[in-house]
Amino acid sequence: PRSTLFPYTTLFRSWVTGLSPLGGLPLDVLYFEDCRRLNEISPVAHLSRLTVLGLYGTPVTDLRPLTGLGRLKELILGGHAGAVDMTSIASLPGLRQLGLYDVPEDTDLTPLAGMRNLTVTMHEDQHVLGIQHVRHVTRTARKEDRDW
């Protein structure tokens, strides 16, 4: 359950095209769902309090802006048309949970091999490359409605 002590925001649908207005806001939790016109997330790099980020149904595949988010504990990715480069995620020492839902099969988790405390959660029927390099994997049944 989400604590009401932490500010969080969910941005839905196609009206979101850029993130400049978010720069510097004291957000701890931020979800983007079905923001199909959002193609880059560089302003997220300035959200230093961010502990949870969800990117579902966005065309974002470049996660380099996340590399400086030392407090990020949970990242949810899904509904991407292209493979997401996991190299940037490997530089997040505090990341404990990575949710991968409906990502392309050519998404490669090999760069995450050294992340001993990371748990990857994905659909039981989903396939990605390099899953054998991840220490903790949880498979879930597919649901019609996403439950962040």
Side-chain angles (χ1 to χ4, degrees):
R2 292 188 185 119
S3 168
T4 56
L5 299 176
F6 300 111
Y8 66 90
T9 298
T10 302
L11 300 173
F12 292 100
R13 307 293 179 237
S14 60
W15 62 269
V16 176
T17 58
L19 303 182
S20 296
L22 296 178
L25 288 177
L27 295 174
D28 293 315
V29 177
L30 181 60
Y31 294 109
F32 296 96
E33 183 175 350
D34 294 330
C35 297
R36 305 249 179 239
R37 293 177 14 188
L38 178 67
N39 55 20
E40 70 92 19
I41 57 169
S42 58
V44 170
H46 303 291
L47 301 176
S48 60
R49 290 180 46 170
L50 210 56
T51 59
V52 178
L53 176 63
L55 295 168
Y56 194 95
T58 71
V60 173
T61 57
D62 180 7
L63 300 179
R64 287 178 291 182
L66 306 184
T67 58
L69 298 179
R71 292 184 180 184
L72 195 64
K73 303 262 184 262
E74 182 176 356
L75 179 62
I76 301 166
L77 301 173
H80 294 80
V84 177
D85 182 2
M86 295 292 158
T87 307
S88 300
I89 294 173
S91 69
L92 297 170
L95 194 66
R96 298 292 178 258
Q97 297 287 328
L98 175 61
L100 296 175
Y101 304 100
D102 302 319
V103 295
E105 290 186 7
D106 60 344
T107 299
D108 188 0
L109 304 186
T110 303
L112 308 180
M115 300 182 76
R116 297 183 181 277
N117 296 319
L118 180 67
T119 298
V120 173
T121 304
M122 56 196 310
H123 293 306
E124 60 193 5
D125 62 346
Q126 188 169 336
H127 302 284
V128 294
L129 301 173
I131 192 71
Q132 70 274 15
H133 300 293
V134 177
R135 186 172 260 196
H136 308 286
V137 178
T138 302
R139 298 284 187 155
T140 63
R142 188 174 292 276
K143 296 181 192 177
E144 285 299 315
D145 294 327
R146 289 184 293 279
D147 183 16
W148 295 93

